[in-house]
Amino acid sequence: MTTTVIERKWHTTKEVAEMLGYGLSKTKMLIITGEIRSIKDGRNRRILPRYVDEYVSRRARQAEEGSA
């Protein structure tokens, strides 16, 4: 028997907030300001997994540069 795993193609703002350990308001503000890129899907915002990865990488790089 073969098991098929369906990977998420995008995340909701709430899911991203939970992933990052941020509140929903902070996450929405990061999206509004463009810190985290998103896609408008009807009335909702969707965030691609790579957009979350880009944000985390950028924040880590900024933290490393700031401590050097």
Side-chain angles (χ1 to χ4, degrees):
M1 182 168 88
T2 304
T3 302
T4 303
V5 177
I6 300 173
E7 292 185 29
R8 302 283 309 259
K9 301 300 181 194
W10 55 30
H11 303 290
T12 64
T13 303
K14 181 179 177 185
E15 290 168 341
V16 171
E18 291 171 2
M19 276 189 268
L20 297 174
Y22 292 165
L24 190 56
S25 296
K26 178 175 180 169
T27 305
K28 286 181 178 181
M29 187 56 63
L30 291 169
I31 291 168
I32 290 168
T33 61
E35 288 279 325
I36 298 176
R37 295 194 298 157
S38 67
I39 296 169
K40 186 85 166 142
D41 181 35
R43 295 186 334 171
N44 301 305
R45 288 273 166 196
R46 301 292 183 227
I47 300 98
L48 298 176
R50 74 171 186 260
Y51 294 169
V52 178
D53 293 341
E54 288 171 1
Y55 172 74
V56 171
S57 295
R58 188 171 58 255
R59 293 295 294 144
R61 191 171 49 252
Q62 289 170 343
E64 290 168 357
E65 291 171 356
S67 64

